[in-house]
Amino acid sequence: MPLHVPPAPAPALRSVLTALGSPTAVREARTPSLRSAQDEATPELPLPLHVLDRITPEGVSATRLAGWRFLIRCGDRAVAAAETRLTPDGWAFSHFFEGPYIASTERALRQAESATQPYQARLLSVPGLYMLTLWLHGDTDSDGTTGHPAATDLLVPLAPAPPGIAAHRAHRVAELLPVLTLRVPPSAPPPLLGSPA
C-alpha cells in the first residue's frame, strides 16, 4: 500500500520556498551541500514533526506538534532539510540543516513503502534519548497535526539510533515505548533532533 504523506500547511511550504529563494538565507545556513548545490533546490516530503515529551510507566505518551520538516532535493538526492515552526503569526521558516538524518529519513520512507498496511508518515522526536523515528500512524485520514502513537502504530528509529536500539527496524509502539520508559532520563529535554545546537 502506498505511504500517505499529509499535506503541509500552505504557509509552511511558502515560508520554505521563500527561504530557498533568498540568497542570504541559503548562504548563512549551516548546510554546505545546500550552499554548493548546482541544481535547483526543491522542498519535498513534508512530514509533521511531533515531540514525545513524556512516557509514563504504562507506556502512554504525550506528544505535541513541533513543526513541519521538508527534505530539500537537489537533482536526484536530498541534500538538506528545512524546518518550519508555528508562531503567533502562523507558520514560519525556522532553519535549514543537514546530517545523517536526511539519508536515514529517505531510507526509512522507502522501506515503509513496502508495508502491506497503509500508514501515514510522521516524524517523532524523543529528545531525552537524542532519538528520531519515522512514525507510521495507522490513521491515514488524519491531518497529521494531532494524535498520539497508537499501540499498533510503528516506530522506525533513524540512524544514528541510541545504543541498544536498532536503526531502520520497525517496532510496534506497544513494544518500544515500555523500553524507552526505562531509558528516558527525568531531566529537561535537549534541543530537537536535527536542529542546530
Side-chain angles (χ1 to χ4, degrees):
M1 299 290 298
L3 193 62
H4 296 261
V5 177
L13 176 58
R14 278 195 304 272
S15 73
V16 171
L17 289 170
T18 299
L20 283 170
S22 164
T24 303
V26 172
R27 189 173 52 251
E28 292 179 359
R30 289 190 246 174
T31 51
S33 35
L34 184 59
R35 288 195 306 266
S36 63
Q38 300 298 313
D39 296 314
E40 181 181 356
T42 56
E44 295 183 353
L45 293 170
L47 295 173
L49 173 62
H50 294 258
V51 176
L52 184 61
D53 284 323
R54 186 178 70 249
I55 306 171
T56 68
E58 296 79 31
V60 178
S61 61
T63 63
R64 62 181 166 82
L65 180 67
W68 283 80
R69 187 172 287 183
F70 298 76
L71 292 181
I72 305 299
R73 185 167 299 281
C74 291
D76 62 349
R77 66 185 189 98
V79 298
E83 201 160 292
T84 62
R85 59 184 170 80
L86 192 58
T87 70
D89 296 324
W91 287 99
F93 171 74
S94 175
H95 60 277
F96 293 116
F97 64 93
E98 61 183 66
Y101 287 125
I102 308 301
S104 187
T105 300
E106 281 193 303
R107 176 180 170 187
L109 287 167
R110 282 194 305 271
Q111 289 175 323
E113 282 287 346
S114 64
T116 55
Q117 177 181 337
Y119 287 104
Q120 182 186 84
R122 303 173 172 199
L123 292 173
L124 183 65
S125 173
V126 186
L129 291 177
Y130 291 95
M131 180 177 171
L132 184 64
T133 70
L134 177 65
W135 171 12
L136 300 175
H137 189 49
D139 182 3
T140 58
D141 294 326
S142 167
D143 66 2
T145 63
T146 59
H148 299 290
T152 56
D153 287 355
L154 298 177
L155 296 177
V156 182
L158 301 181
I165 296 176
H168 296 287
R169 181 172 169 259
H171 302 268
R172 291 222 176 271
V173 167
E175 299 162 357
L176 187 59
L177 282 188
V179 172
L180 298 182
T181 303
L182 303 173
R183 301 183 69 177
V184 174
S187 61
L192 286 179
L193 292 165
S195 301

